[in-house]
């Protein structure tokens, strides 16, 4: 077992090396020996300066998040930083590679100097965990780079590249070449020889005096930075703590920061966001795909379909650096598709989210074609053709004939049976589902549908391609709608009943927005197009008392200027008397006496059935773990991150409560969607959590 902290000497300079894989997180096992080593070096007169650096791939990436919620063990990070700051005349320097994040950057701010390699990044991303920096970051960083820049970095949780850190004074020098430690030792020797040491970050007041004089500009920036907080506490708390660095003496601001940090540490929102941090990483661990399963090489991809989905998928692959041959059977839709892609890139360039000169570079990675034969040398081919099994059969039989051996054949189907699709080929082991979410070049979720015969290395390749395309891949099993859409069906099963019994689209959507969703189901339907569901219902021989007449009246949603709402400016939903009349007349024709419907009832009759369906999905093995289901809903449907996903939120609420209310609504309505899953009932009765199910 290697030592977590070792000390080497370069004459009068001591080098403290932290080695705590995988990211040198500040676990207690690391803090104790580090503090001892620093105290010994401080008190050793033969030592004139100390370099603090890390082995492995990165400088300290923060506190050990897995320790949160446990006892706070001394030496804390605050104690460590106090030790560093007690090196009065003996200068210290943090030598940074990889990412100095959270407590790691706070540790570095306890040093007198910081040097970094050109590729290094620094950041205080605690806000993404529902926290604020809890070891002086909101008090020291404003004193080093100024309160406005500190506010922007901390509220956004942004990683700052080394060049920017140098320009802002957060880093004192960039160390070029191979040897960071040698560079840091040289830097320190020069600083010692110079004899004029810069003040510690905590002692620099010059960078905040102007803000102290007139805080209105800062407050205006706070308003701008926190307007997208959408119900999350941490962004506001971050801003308040940085503001305290302007208005309070250091010690007071420091104490207030710790108070705020500890309060957030014990909040449901932070527990939810920390859950999601690990859930996203867990989702990348797939049964049967161990570390020694190597992905197949993907140098070239093929996409069939240049429509909204196909074009978006092709863009996300190209954005990940994978050249794409894009196929349409006729020139006109192909040209239209490429034009839409170029237009999307030009809009991004105008918005500044990509460089203008990159538009042509990206477009050069597309090879348009109207011939299947041009897909023959692709390593992976993803079809985004019409959602109809007959069409899929055509496509996969053709692909089976033309694709090279070992090519991965993927379907973007959103609910069809991937095993049946694989059976159209003689290579079912190479067939997989890759369900992107629209718009595919924006939405991060990628459901990877594992067929019964899908080979492990095909799974590993699809995961790797997904990550390269900057997606969050989650492996799901074969069933109608996989995980996301199957639970979405459960969430909307009671929508019409709620309208007929007394709600209106705007009251249901408001209850959803108040819950934290970006928008409610009716506004979402108008955005996606109500005609999609209408076509599916007709193909399945099903009807809907309200949605059918709505579509028969041509009210598909935004694209037709009206749906559940009317749209005078094309996008702002306005409650519409036509819809209210349809609801009232239909309810009357069914002899329903309408009544007031509370927000609580709306949530219980939509979100609770979704959780129940999630329990069934877990029980059937369609999802590997409950946290995977949370990741699907956060990245695919905008479930409020402050609630951690449907399954985490259910556990926070208490599974017994969910079961009691599902039973209540089953008694009231008899609707199948309220029939409690046996797994959910068992876990609730045993006082267990979903993770106890596996
Ligand atoms: N604590 C514990 N484990 C961590 C960790 C952390 N801070 N960071 C990463 N891991 C684990 C992760 O779960 C995974 O484990 C492995 O390391 C590789 O991570 C007091 C309170 C550093 C940019 O928020 O952003 O300091 O799955 O897959 O893609 O103010 O990890 O292998 O078992 O993400 O190369 C603030 C969080 C903490 C940084 C590397 N710091 N980490 O990305 O690898 S709070 C953060 C990251 C704090 C102070 C406050 C990324 C990374 P496993 P990975 P990566």
């Amino acid at each position: 077992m290697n030592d977590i902290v070792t000390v080497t000497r370069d004459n009068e300079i001591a080098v403290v090396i932290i080695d705590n894989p995988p990211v040198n997180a500040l676990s207690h096992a690391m803090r104790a020996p580090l503090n001892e080593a620093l105290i010994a070096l401080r008190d050793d007169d033969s030592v004139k300066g100390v370099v603090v650096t890390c082995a492995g791939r990165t400088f300290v990436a923060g506190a050990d998040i897995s320790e949160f919620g446990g006892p706070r063990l001394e030496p804390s990070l605050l104690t460590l930083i106090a030790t560093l700051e007690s090196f009065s005349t003996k200068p210290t320097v943090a030598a940074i590679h990889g990412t100095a994040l959270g407590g790691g950057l706070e540790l570095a701010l306890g040093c007198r100097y910081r040097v970094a390699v050109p590729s290094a990044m620094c950041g205080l991303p605690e806000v993404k965990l529902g926290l604020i920096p809890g070891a002086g970051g909101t008090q020291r960083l404003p004193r080093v780079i100024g309160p406005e820049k500190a506010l922007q970095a901390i509220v956004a949780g942004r990683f700052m590249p080394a060049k920017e850190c140098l320009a802002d004074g957060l880093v004192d020098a960039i160390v070029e070449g191979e040897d960071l430690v040698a560079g840091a030792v040289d830097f320190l020797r020069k600083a010692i020889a110079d004899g004029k040491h810069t003040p510690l970050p905590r002692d620099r007041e010059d960078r905040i005096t102007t803000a102290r004089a007139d805080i209105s500009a800062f407050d205006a920036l706070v308003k701008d930075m926190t307007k997208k907080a959408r119900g999350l506490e941490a962004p506001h708390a971050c801003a308040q703590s940085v503001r305290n660095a302007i208005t309070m003496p250091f010690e007071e601001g420091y104490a207030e920061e710790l108070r705020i940090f500890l309060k957030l540490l014990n909040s449901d929102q932070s527990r939810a966001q920390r859950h999601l941090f690990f859930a996203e990483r867990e989702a990348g661990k797939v049964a049967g795909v161990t570390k020694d399963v190597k992905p197949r090489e993907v140098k070239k991809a093929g996409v069939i379909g240049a429509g909204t989905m196909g074009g978006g998928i092709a863009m996300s692959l190209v954005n990940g650096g994978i050249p794409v041959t894009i196929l349409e059977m006729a020139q006109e839709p192909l040209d239209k598709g490429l034009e839409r892609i170029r237009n999307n890139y030009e809009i991004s360039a105008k918005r500044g989210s990509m460089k203008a000169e990159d538009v042509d570079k990206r477009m050069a990675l597309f090879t348009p074609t109207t011939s299947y034969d041009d897909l023959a040398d692709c390593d992976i081919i993803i079809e985004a053709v019409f959602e109809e099994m007959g069409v899929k059969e055509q496509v996969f039989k053709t692909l089976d004939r033309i694709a090279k051996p070992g090519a991965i054949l993927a379907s973007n189907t959103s609910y069809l049976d991937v095993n049946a699709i694989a059976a159209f080929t003689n290579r079912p082991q190479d067939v997989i589902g890759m369900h992107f979410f629209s718009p595919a070049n924006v939405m991060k979720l990628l459901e990877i549908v594992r067929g019964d015969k899908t080979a492990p290395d095909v799974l590993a390749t699809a995961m790797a391609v997904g990550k390269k395309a900057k997606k969050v891949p989650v492996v799901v099993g074969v069933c109608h709608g996989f995980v996301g859409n199957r639970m979405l069906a459960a969430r909307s099963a009671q929508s019409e009943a709620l309208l007929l019994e007394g709600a209106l689209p705007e009251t249901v959507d408001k209850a959803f927005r108040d819950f934290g969703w970006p928008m409610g189901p009716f506004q979402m339907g108008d955005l996606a197009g109500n005609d999609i569901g209408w076509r599916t219902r007709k193909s399945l021989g099903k009807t809907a008392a309200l949605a059918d007449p709505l579509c028969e009246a041509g009210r598909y949603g935004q694209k037709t200027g009206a749906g559940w709402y009317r749209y005078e400016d094309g996008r702002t939903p306005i409650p519409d008397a036509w819809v209210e009349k349809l609801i009232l007349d239909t309810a009357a024709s069914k002899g329903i006496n309408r009544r007031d419907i509370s927000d609580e009832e709306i949530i219980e009759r939509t979100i609770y059935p979704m959780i129940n369906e999630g329990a069934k999905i877990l029980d059937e093995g369609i999802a590997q773990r409950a946290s995977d289901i949370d990741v699907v809903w956060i990245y695919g449907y905008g479930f409020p991150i402050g609630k951690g996903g449907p399954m985490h939120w259910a556990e926070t609420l208490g599974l017994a409560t969910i079961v009691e209310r599902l039973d209540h609504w089953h008694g009231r309505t008899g609707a199948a969607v309220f029939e409690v899953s046996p797994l959910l009932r068992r876990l609730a009765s045993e006082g267990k959590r979903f993770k106890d199910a596996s």
Side-chain angles (χ1 to χ4, degrees):
M1 162 72 180
N2 62 325
D3 292 338
I4 286 187
V5 176
T6 49
V7 177
T8 61
R9 287 295 291 270
D10 182 338
N11 297 314
E12 80 289 15
I13 305 292
V15 179
V16 176
I17 301 161
I18 297 163
D19 188 7
N20 189 24
V23 295
N24 289 310
L26 281 152
S27 57
H28 179 254
M30 183 253 261
R31 297 196 306 268
L34 179 57
N35 200 42
E36 275 162 44
L38 289 171
I39 290 169
L41 294 171
R42 180 193 61 192
D43 301 343
D44 178 341
D45 292 341
S46 73
V47 172
K48 303 301 175 203
V50 175
V51 173
V52 178
T53 192
C54 288
R57 59 181 173 160
T58 179
F59 192 75
V60 177
D64 185 333
I65 305 169
S66 62
E67 283 186 354
F68 289 157
R72 283 172 61 78
L73 300 173
E74 279 297 334
S76 69
L77 176 52
L78 295 171
T79 304
L80 260 176
I81 295 170
T83 301
L84 277 166
E85 292 187 326
S86 67
F87 276 65
S88 49
T89 55
K90 199 179 285 186
T92 52
V93 61
I96 299 168
H97 71 295
T99 49
L101 299 173
L105 180 56
E106 290 172 310
L107 184 76
L109 284 167
C111 296
R112 190 171 289 281
Y113 302 104
R114 283 147 301 285
V115 299
V117 297
S119 57
M121 292 203 274
C122 297
L124 293 174
E126 287 87 339
V127 68
K128 292 179 183 164
L129 300 169
L131 298 169
I132 70 167
T138 66
Q139 306 303 305
R140 290 187 179 86
L141 191 63
R143 287 174 163 82
V144 175
I145 67 173
E148 284 79 6
K149 283 187 176 170
L151 175 76
Q152 288 167 318
I154 293 169
V155 172
R158 204 168 71 78
F159 291 15
M160 299 169 277
K163 207 161 143 227
E164 177 186 333
C165 297
L166 180 68
D168 291 341
L170 177 55
V171 155
D172 300 284
I174 298 283
V175 175
E176 304 283 354
E178 292 301 304
D179 195 338
L180 169 62
V181 171
V185 170
D186 282 352
F187 174 88
L188 204 49
R189 276 211 172 97
K190 287 195 185 84
I192 292 168
D194 173 47
K196 293 192 295 299
H197 297 311
T198 57
L200 280 166
R202 65 173 294 167
D203 302 329
R204 298 183 195 174
E205 296 297 318
D206 57 309
R207 299 302 301 264
I208 54 174
T209 39
T210 27
R212 261 198 192 126
D214 171 12
I215 205 158
S216 57
F218 179 87
D219 286 344
L221 187 58
V222 167
K223 208 155 169 285
D224 185 49
M225 286 300 295
T226 54
K227 66 185 173 203
K228 292 199 201 86
R230 273 223 329 263
L232 292 174
E233 295 158 44
H236 298 284
C238 284
Q240 182 56 53
S241 198
V242 174
R243 192 179 197 277
N244 294 343
I246 299 169
T247 60
M248 295 178 181
F250 180 86
E251 288 304 340
E252 210 179 303
Y254 204 48
E256 181 60 7
E257 176 195 77
L258 182 59
R259 188 193 66 76
I260 299 170
F261 169 76
L262 292 175
K263 177 172 159 282
L264 289 177
L265 189 66
N266 295 313
S267 69
D268 284 345
Q269 278 194 1
S270 180
R271 268 191 284 273
Q273 290 178 259
R274 290 165 1 221
H275 158 75
L276 289 173
F277 174 84
F278 290 115
E280 188 182 328
R281 285 152 181 84
E282 276 304 295
K285 296 170 187 166
V286 182
V289 184
T290 51
K291 287 223 189 309
D292 57 18
V293 173
K294 292 284 162 271
R296 295 180 191 174
E297 191 180 18
V298 174
K299 287 190 289 200
K300 190 174 173 189
V303 171
I304 304 174
T308 313
M309 280 312 288
I313 293 167
M315 285 180 71
S316 58
L317 296 173
V318 160
N319 295 344
I322 302 174
V324 169
T325 300
I326 185 164
L327 168 73
E328 274 282 359
M329 297 321 290
Q331 196 61 42
E332 193 268 338
L334 183 61
D335 295 343
K336 229 169 107 191
L338 268 294
E339 193 188 321
R340 185 189 303 116
I341 290 171
R342 173 175 286 279
N343 186 39
N344 284 340
Y345 281 138
E346 283 168 353
I347 291 169
S348 301
K350 273 200 200 93
R351 283 199 192 129
S353 53
M354 69 184 272
K355 293 195 202 90
E357 59 268 26
D358 286 349
V359 173
D360 287 337
K361 279 186 206 152
R362 296 267 175 99
M363 292 309 295
L365 287 175
F366 290 90
T367 305
T369 180
T370 55
S371 159
Y372 264 99
D373 293 342
D374 290 336
L375 301 180
D377 64 344
C378 290
D379 304 297
I380 185 169
I381 302 166
I382 303 171
E383 60 81 13
V385 298
F386 195 61
E387 272 293 77
E388 202 280 308
M389 215 31 141
V391 178
K392 304 294 187 191
E393 180 173 5
Q394 280 284 337
V395 168
F396 276 83
K397 283 187 171 162
T398 308
L399 289 178
D400 197 25
R401 183 167 44 77
I402 60 104
K404 69 180 183 181
I408 291 170
L409 310 181
S411 170
N412 173 56
T413 180
S414 53
Y415 60 86
L416 294 175
D417 183 337
V418 170
N419 291 325
I421 291 172
F424 295 139
T425 75
N426 297 306
R427 48 173 119 180
Q429 73 284 358
D430 295 337
V431 177
I432 194 165
M434 290 179 80
H435 176 214
F436 291 79
F437 283 69
S438 184
N441 52 308
V442 175
M443 294 302 285
K444 287 179 75 74
L445 177 64
L446 170 61
E447 278 185 324
I448 293 192
V449 190
R450 172 179 212 164
D452 295 346
K453 296 186 177 145
T454 301
D457 67 335
V458 171
L459 257 179
T461 310
M463 299 283 288
V465 167
K467 285 198 176 117
K468 209 161 176 202
K470 301 185 184 66
K471 300 298 175 191
V472 177
V474 179
V475 174
V476 298
V478 176
C479 69
H480 186 92
F482 315 132
V483 171
N485 284 347
R486 177 170 158 184
M487 288 171 70
L488 183 63
R491 189 187 83 172
S492 37
Q494 287 277 297
S495 296
E496 289 215 342
L498 285 164
L499 294 183
L500 292 170
E501 291 175 36
L504 288 171
E506 51 270 30
T507 53
V508 173
D509 284 354
K510 183 177 180 308
F512 268 64
R513 284 197 306 278
D514 291 347
F515 183 84
W517 294 95
M519 63 174 75
F522 294 104
Q523 192 181 348
M524 176 60 86
D526 278 356
L527 183 66
N530 301 308
D531 50 320
I532 298 170
W534 186 37
R535 257 204 313 273
T536 309
R537 282 195 301 278
K538 282 195 283 188
S539 72
L540 299 171
K542 289 186 175 171
T543 59
L546 298 171
D548 287 355
L550 190 81
C551 291
E552 280 145 22
R555 296 176 71 107
Y556 296 164
Q558 276 192 19
K559 60 185 169 186
T560 57
W564 294 105
Y565 298 92
R566 69 172 194 281
Y567 296 86
E568 285 166 7
D569 65 0
R571 49 180 299 134
T572 310
I574 302 168
D576 189 343
W578 188 95
V579 170
E580 184 167 352
K581 186 175 181 314
L582 169 68
I583 294 168
L584 296 180
D585 292 353
T586 310
S589 71
K590 289 172 176 287
I592 295 171
N593 295 322
R594 289 168 61 78
R595 58 184 172 84
D596 277 346
I597 305 259
S598 70
D599 286 1
E600 289 71 29
E601 178 174 344
I602 291 169
I603 296 303
E604 288 181 4
R605 293 176 65 177
T606 54
I607 314 296
Y608 289 27
M610 185 182 131
I611 290 159
N612 191 37
E613 198 64 33
K616 292 176 191 166
I617 283 168
L618 201 54
D619 208 9
E620 294 164 26
I622 298 294
Q624 293 187 100
R625 48 185 87 85
S627 61
D628 284 7
I629 296 172
D630 288 333
V631 173
V632 163
W633 274 88
I634 295 291
Y635 287 104
Y637 301 83
F639 194 95
I641 61 169
K643 289 184 164 70
M647 311 309 269
H648 178 85
W649 182 69
E651 291 179 340
T652 308
L653 212 64
L655 300 189
T657 304
I658 303 283
V659 168
E660 188 273 321
R661 300 311 294 158
L662 287 168
D663 283 339
H664 166 79
W665 290 110
H666 188 252
R668 282 277 297 270
T669 67
V673 78
F674 293 120
E675 280 165 23
V676 176
S677 117
L679 171 67
L680 179 56
R681 192 178 296 283
R682 176 170 62 79
L683 292 174
S685 64
E686 294 166 1
K688 291 188 173 165
R689 303 167 69 96
F690 286 117
K691 67 173 60 131
D692 304 320
S694 45

